[in-house]
Amino acid sequence: MFVSDLRIEAARLTAHSDPIEQRAIAAYLGLAVGDALGATVEFMTPSEIRAQYREHRDIRGGGWLNLRRGRVTDDTEMALALGRSILETGAVDARAAADAFSEWMRSKPVDIGNTVRRGIVAYRRTGSTESPVREFDAGNGACMRCLPVALVTLGAEVSAVDAANQRQAHVTHNNPTSDAGTLCVIQMVQTGLLGGNRQDLKRLATALVAANPIFAYDRKRVENPGGFIGDTLRAVFQSLFATEDLESALIDVVNRGGDADTTGAILGMITGAFYGADALPARWTRHLEPTTHHDCVSQARNLLKRSPAYRARAVS
Ligand code: MN
Ligand code: MN
């Protein structure tokens, strides 16, 4: 064997046994399975879900979008579009993200949120990558697609992570509550990737609530969460901290109904990063469409490789 072959082999082996990379892949697949699982019961109430499924716990398609089993929706598709734009330009770039979102909308997606559509239409008309500040319109559409930012900024200062996220978020959602909630989700994902514990996740949620009480999650159980980022993250935090594994967490959150594909997607990325690849039920991941599965895995690897944490490793 040539030395160069050995080096490639060593790199391959390191890559395959890298726990951070395994967690990053689990986060991306967690996003996709949470989306696919929740989509079946999106916009249903908990009692409607109970009447129909007793407990919804399998990826089966259907729902108001009448999806094929394993089909993901805008949450995963926009994350993948954003991830592609980051890999093409080498950074979280507002224009590249806006172009990627616009191209995605042209592909006639199975679903698209109103705020997202309005933002993309405005970008096409004006060329501006910052939608106007909307104080009372804090949808969850920027948060649901934030995973590529969490991966590519691993190891960066929080202020740089926040700035990078705002570049992608403000194309469609320019709102401080959305920014704060999304940054917290990104930090939870990064904490999971780096092997943090439950207390670390709790501390992040507590700090978010202290700065913005709209996210206080220790009150009444959130059922039927709407598209408002406050509802979404309160449900996500309740399910995250009330359970001790990925499967129970996702089943708990999607059976609350409402914007279930999006609570599933966001909790899927957090719990994927936190609990790791072994926690993902094979009966869920095997239903993902092969191209979706492939794109999630390859983006997880390649985004992580470009992060400050990994670039520092490569140098040392
Ligand atoms: Mn969706
Ligand atoms: Mn949704």
Side-chain angles (χ1 to χ4, degrees), residues 35 42 73-75 111 261-262:
D35 181 4
E42 190 184 22
T73 73
D74 50 347
D75 309 61
D111 188 23
D261 61 324
T262 304

Side-chain angles (χ1 to χ4, degrees), residues 80 288-296:
L80 288 169
L288 290 176
E289 292 177 352
T291 53
T292 304
H293 193 286
H294 170 273
D295 291 352
C296 289

Side-chain angles (χ1 to χ4, degrees), residues 64-114:
W64 75 283
L65 293 169
N66 196 21
L67 299 166
R68 283 193 307 276
R69 173 192 271 191
R71 180 77 159 79
V72 294
T73 73
D74 50 347
D75 309 61
T76 309
E77 288 176 352
M78 289 199 88
L80 288 169
L82 174 61
R84 267 191 296 277
S85 82
I86 297 171
L87 292 170
E88 276 164 21
T89 56
V92 185
D93 178 82
R95 186 155 309 276
D99 285 337
F101 297 156
S102 176
E103 191 184 316
W104 166 75
M105 188 164 109
R106 234 184 332 267
S107 75
K108 304 232 182 316
V110 65
D111 188 23
I112 181 167
N114 291 331

Side-chain angles (χ1 to χ4, degrees), residues 17-231:
S17 58
D18 175 352
I20 300 181
E21 186 184 72
Q22 292 305 310
R23 288 174 181 274
I25 291 169
Y28 230 131
L29 293 174
L31 157 69
V33 296
D35 181 4
L37 183 72
T40 302
V41 293
E42 190 184 22
F43 300 136
M44 292 172 75
T45 65
S47 60
E48 286 167 347
I49 297 170
R50 263 195 305 277
Q52 195 162 344
Y53 302 107
R54 209 167 63 84
E55 184 176 61
H56 173 55
R57 44 187 304 120
D58 289 302
I59 290 183
R60 58 170 79 228
W64 75 283
L65 293 169
N66 196 21
L67 299 166
R68 283 193 307 276
R69 173 192 271 191
R71 180 77 159 79
V72 294
T73 73
D74 50 347
D75 309 61
T76 309
E77 288 176 352
M78 289 199 88
L80 288 169
L82 174 61
R84 267 191 296 277
S85 82
I86 297 171
L87 292 170
E88 276 164 21
T89 56
V92 185
D93 178 82
R95 186 155 309 276
D99 285 337
F101 297 156
S102 176
E103 191 184 316
W104 166 75
M105 188 164 109
R106 234 184 332 267
S107 75
K108 304 232 182 316
V110 65
D111 188 23
I112 181 167
N114 291 331
T115 310
V116 166
R117 182 197 307 273
R118 185 170 55 191
I120 295 171
V121 167
Y123 169 66
R124 287 176 179 173
R125 203 178 51 238
T126 65
S128 166
T129 58
E130 285 243 350
S131 64
V133 179
R134 290 196 185 87
E135 198 179 341
F136 302 106
D137 186 7
N140 57 23
C143 188
M144 72 185 190
R145 64 182 186 233
C146 72
L147 179 59
V149 180
L151 300 178
V152 82
T153 64
L154 187 70
E157 297 281 344
V158 179
S159 57
V161 176
D162 191 20
N165 179 59
Q166 290 192 29
R167 286 197 290 279
Q168 72 84 12
H170 291 185
V171 174
T172 56
H173 291 67
N174 193 349
N175 177 283
T177 310
S178 161
D179 289 343
T182 304
L183 179 62
C184 181
V185 169
I186 291 173
Q187 289 183 283
M188 285 187 170
V189 169
Q190 294 183 336
T191 299
L193 294 177
L194 297 173
N197 60 32
R198 290 175 83 82
Q199 279 315 313
D200 297 326
L201 296 184
K202 277 243 166 83
R203 264 194 289 277
L204 288 167
T206 304
L208 176 68
V209 172
N212 200 333
I214 208 117
F215 293 106
Y217 60 93
D218 55 351
R219 299 184 189 151
K220 197 164 152 280
R221 182 179 160 92
V222 180
E223 305 265 351
N224 215 5
F228 168 52
I229 186 75
D231 292 356

